[in-house]
Amino acid sequence: MILASLFFVLLSFLDTSFAQQQRADPLTVAVVRDFGGELFRLNSVPYLNPLVQLLNSMTNSRFYHTAEVAKKNGFYVRFGIHGMLGFVNPDQYTFAPQVPRAELDLTRLGQYVTLLPSVRITDTAGLVGYATRVVINDGIRDGQIQLPTESSTFFGNLQQRFTLPKEYFRRRLSNPASGDPLALLPASTRLAVLPIIERLPNDFPLPNGQNMSSLPIAVPQLEIGSIAGTELLVRFLPQLNWGRSIGEFGFWAVGLKHSLSQYWQDAPLELALQGVYQGTLLTNTIGVTNAKLRAEATIFNVNLHASKRFGNFEVYGGAAYDYLGINAGYTFSIPFEIQAQLGLLKETVDAAGNKTFIVDKAAGFPGDEFPQTATVSLPSNAFRFTLGAAYYLGPVAICLDYNRSTINLITGGITVKF
């Protein structure tokens, strides 16, 4: 009991001295960077996936408003501006977050500690990170640690945090019960880990969303015809800033549409087959980790569509198969508020209570100088069904349609044929 009391007095001293010091402790920073980095990687895909999917699905629409293609060879150009309004599905506002976890494995433990002929810690930061994951895993499994049931995606409106239950860590590491797997570890190893865990942040913030229910974009488009009943489609939009929430987004596309009804004498409607290939690029800075996102997508759409003209009106519809191959890369740092807790950033608070985090290397606040990277691949495919109508005023066509897919869109546009 005397030894335990002295141990907790030492913990209190370490925790107090860490809170008062200005300079960051390299070992604690290393553990936070490792744990926080895995926390980000585990949750970055479900957080960003709805945004990337919605943007790319929107660009993969509004390719046609008529199936008619001139049957005779000749030159014409149809220029249009097309807008897309994408709606966030109810299940795209939140996701079930994950945290770093690990089972106790003596073989893996040997990467950090030599047990024979005597106990010697060879990688303190690795050992602390591994012990943290083991205790979290056991606590979640035993119901002693509760995870947030949901966290915001990019479109959501929740600010969730994962709290490290320090008291649970103290109990498990300082005095494990009989049968506890941690009791297999030498007491010296467990007691060496605990002071560092005490100095970790009390909680880790999960990214909050932008509270958005829909997303609009607009694109220019050229359709050039025709040779053998075939039109060329071209789209290009340089990277433009669509606001702080979305970031910079740009794309290009090229496609061909071929009339099938030209082979059908006295066809009751126009019928065409179209294929479009495009690429997109999205860059943004997001979340509590100030993550730099770069997402490139390769998108393919093949569709069969039909139309029927009634005077100045034309109704059209079609079915399509969409394929999206998305490769995203992130460069991210420790969240600002945790950097401030660790002594990496200087924190100031104004009269209104607003916090500002400042890098001041001369005063010993260098910031997180070692950003981490992560890459993910997000392939997906879906079927799309479109139904719409167009109204003609001479060479001008005004059109509006609805797209039903995994993501629902309303799109419209105005075109002029020359």
Side-chain angles (χ1 to χ4, degrees), residues 227-275:
I227 299 176
T230 303
E231 279 184 355
L232 172 68
L233 178 146
V234 178
R235 282 181 175 179
F236 175 72
L237 191 69
Q239 264 201 295
L240 300 176
N241 192 325
W242 294 83
R244 184 177 59 86
S245 296
I246 300 174
E248 295 188 346
F249 182 67
F251 60 93
W252 59 266
V254 60
L256 291 174
K257 177 164 72 173
H258 185 70
S259 172
L260 299 180
S261 52
Q262 67 177 319
Y263 305 111
W264 184 1
Q265 189 174 6
D266 299 324
L269 47 72
E270 300 291 342
L271 185 66
L273 181 67
Q274 185 179 47

Side-chain angles (χ1 to χ4, degrees), residues 36-172:
E38 186 177 353
L39 183 68
F40 179 87
R41 293 182 182 93
L42 286 172
N43 296 288
S44 60
V45 172
Y47 174 79
L48 254 302
N49 191 45
L51 169 65
V52 176
Q53 293 284 352
L54 182 57
L55 273 176
N56 287 291
S57 181
M58 291 166 70
T59 62
N60 214 26
S61 62
R62 198 57 264 149
F63 291 135
Y64 59 85
H65 69 272
T66 179
E68 182 180 5
V69 181
K71 309 303 187 291
K72 297 180 180 180
N73 295 346
F75 177 76
Y76 60 86
V77 174
R78 186 184 294 115
F79 175 75
I81 298 294
H82 302 275
M84 300 85 167
L85 180 63
F87 296 94
V88 182
N89 292 335
D91 62 352
Q92 291 181 314
Y93 289 107
T94 61
F95 69 97
Q98 301 181 60
V99 296
R101 304 168 61 173
E103 295 281 352
L104 180 60
D105 184 325
L106 294 182
T107 300
R108 181 175 174 184
L109 183 67
Q111 301 175 20
Y112 316 112
V113 182
T114 299
L115 300 177
L116 297 173
S118 60
V119 177
R120 182 171 64 89
I121 298 175
T122 57
D123 181 354
T124 303
L127 176 62
V128 174
Y130 181 53
T132 302
R133 289 164 170 80
V134 169
V135 174
I136 288 174
N137 182 69
D138 292 347
I140 293 174
R141 183 187 58 208
D142 299 338
Q144 300 297 311
I145 297 177
Q146 301 297 322
L147 290 181
T149 56
E150 57 183 20
S151 184
S152 282
T153 67
F154 178 89
F155 295 116
N157 190 31
L158 293 175
Q159 175 58 78
Q160 297 283 37
R161 313 176 79 86
F162 172 65
T163 301
L164 284 179
K166 298 287 183 70
E167 178 56 38
Y168 180 72
F169 277 85
R170 295 186 191 107
R171 185 170 69 251
R172 290 287 307 280

